Amino acid sequence: MADELDLLRRANPVPVDAPHFGDGPLDHRAERQLERLLHETRARRRLRPLRSLPGRTPRTRLLWSLAATAVVLLIAVDAVLGGPSTPRAVAAPRPLTVHAHSRPVPLKELAALADAAASGGSPALRKGTHVQSWSLGMSDGKPPVTLPEERVVRWRADHTHTELVVATDPRTPGRPVLTDEGDTPHEVADGHVISRTTYPPMWSDAPPEATPPHTAAAMSAYLTELARPQADRGTAAPSTAELLDSVAELLDHWTLGARESAAVVRLFAQAGGMRPAGEVTDRLGRPGQAYLYDTDGIRHMLILEPRTGAVLGMEATFTKGDPEYGVKAGDVMGYSAWMR
């Protein structure tokens, strides 16, 4: 059988040197979306799991264009929400706003609070995740299309794991659609099931599958390995941008405990570049402290629990418009809200 990776590369509809789309590898967020599509495709075609292919490493990168990602989202919306007669989830969320006159808490101060909260070691680290996310798909000459979804991943003692992905109801933004009470996550209310998959036993000693450490120094090395290819990894601590990407990928695999969360906050405080903005209410109605980081026309908002420093969510908004893709300054590009 031909290698599935080679098949995917040959099937790429937009080569990396095509006009307007020669922007190189996808970032971590886009890669995660592509991986979710591959999960669904494997389930439908009964392919063997991509992660079990011989020779594949956690740092494998596929060269896909932004246009290909937009096509993925368009197909997924049609599959999940129905045909032309079904209302589409096209309503973009408003960006989160910081509460007026709230006190911004410096990251070093929050790191000290997180260290104190972690002294008892509870809650504990847990493999798996429960996350609600929304992403903006863009395509030339067409309006933006959105696919809000919620995902629960739970691991078993035999190293198998389950993944349930459900499209959230755009009429009730911010309301969880899945519940993982009991042994098996299941959808509630009016969610549309995108995929329901059980994976065979899997092991890895590399991030993000490897168990994350709970000290700042070890966590820095872990996230550096996650953020950079081995060839140019170096010994420098991860930058703020690398921290944002690698922490998001980590949280899509693990539910951090108190000590791991404290280590992450300490790294953000040491990296610098993020400015405290004040109090904010996240997409799930939880109070948090917001920290902002601007880069390349995108404003990143990191939302931390105000007493423990646990990452509640991340949001990215455009700071500059792009008429070619129909986006304006202030439009939300995507967000993730993680739950225990």
Side-chain angles (χ1 to χ4, degrees), residues 21 67 70 74 137-145 322-327:
F21 302 113
L74 284 166
M138 298 177 292
S139 60
D140 189 10
K142 295 182 180 180
V145 176
D322 190 338
E324 182 179 1
Y325 292 111
V327 296

Side-chain angles (χ1 to χ4, degrees), residues 28 31 56-62 206-209 222-230 233 246 249:
H28 291 305
E31 281 190 316
R56 184 181 187 272
T57 68
R59 303 272 33 98
T60 299
R61 292 289 181 261
L62 300 179
E209 283 80 12
Y222 183 100
L223 295 177
T224 299
E225 183 176 353
L226 188 56
R228 302 174 191 163
Q230 186 171 2
R233 185 169 300 154
S246 55
E249 186 169 357

Side-chain angles (χ1 to χ4, degrees), residues 7-306:
L7 292 175
L8 285 172
R9 293 188 184 101
R10 291 198 297 270
N12 184 2
V14 183
V16 294
D17 58 352
H20 307 296
F21 302 113
D23 51 356
L26 297 177
D27 59 21
H28 291 305
R29 185 178 300 278
E31 281 190 316
R32 289 196 298 274
Q33 293 173 3
L34 176 59
E35 187 177 21
R36 291 174 189 170
L37 173 74
L38 296 178
H39 287 172
E40 180 185 0
T41 303
R42 290 195 298 271
R44 291 183 177 179
R45 299 184 180 179
R46 300 185 183 279
L47 295 178
R48 57 198 173 101
L50 187 60
R51 277 175 284 186
S52 67
L53 291 177
R56 184 181 187 272
T57 68
R59 303 272 33 98
T60 299
R61 292 289 181 261
L62 300 179
L63 299 180
W64 285 74
S65 70
L66 179 62
T69 303
V71 171
V72 165
L73 289 172
L74 284 166
I75 294 172
V77 168
D78 283 333
V80 172
L81 300 181
S85 62
T86 305
R88 293 187 176 185
V90 296
R94 294 180 179 273
L96 294 176
T97 57
V98 176
H99 298 170
H101 310 300
S102 60
R103 173 181 174 262
V105 177
L107 272 168
K108 289 185 178 180
E109 181 178 332
L110 187 56
L113 293 173
D115 286 338
S119 60
S122 180
L125 175 72
R126 185 177 70 200
K127 194 169 188 179
T129 189
H130 186 177
V131 57
Q132 184 182 102
S133 61
W134 180 93
S135 301
L136 174 65
M138 298 177 292
S139 60
D140 189 10
K142 295 182 180 180
V145 176
T146 70
L147 180 62
E149 67 180 42
E150 190 171 343
R151 184 168 63 102
V152 174
V153 177
R154 288 291 174 258
W155 285 76
R156 299 165 175 161
D158 61 358
H159 299 285
T160 63
H161 69 280
T162 61
E163 179 186 64
L164 178 60
V165 183
V166 169
T168 58
D169 186 344
R171 295 168 298 178
T172 56
R175 186 194 67 186
V177 177
L178 301 189
T179 176
D180 54 351
E181 296 176 357
D183 295 331
T184 305
H186 57 280
E187 71 276 11
V188 296
D190 47 8
H192 303 267
V193 175
I194 297 175
S195 64
R196 187 195 307 268
T197 312
T198 299
Y199 292 96
M202 296 179 183
W203 299 268
S204 176
D205 58 359
E209 283 80 12
T211 302
H214 58 264
T215 65
M219 181 66 79
S220 178
Y222 183 100
L223 295 177
T224 299
E225 183 176 353
L226 188 56
R228 302 174 191 163
Q230 186 171 2
D232 58 353
R233 185 169 300 154
T235 58
S239 66
T240 301
E242 289 174 328
L243 278 177
L244 287 167
D245 284 342
S246 55
V247 168
E249 186 169 357
L250 171 61
L251 293 173
D252 278 345
H253 289 78
W254 293 84
T255 301
L256 299 187
R259 295 188 298 175
E260 292 78 18
S261 291
V264 167
V265 179
R266 181 66 61 186
L267 292 181
F268 276 117
Q270 294 171 353
M274 302 200 73
R275 62 185 188 275
E279 297 176 8
V280 69
T281 301
D282 82 343
R283 299 288 174 184
L284 301 177
R286 301 171 297 185
Q289 280 287 329
Y291 300 86
L292 304 179
Y293 178 74
D294 293 342
T295 178
D296 297 329
I298 303 296
R299 172 164 294 169
H300 300 271
M301 177 184 285
L302 172 69
I303 306 167
L304 301 179
E305 208 284 330

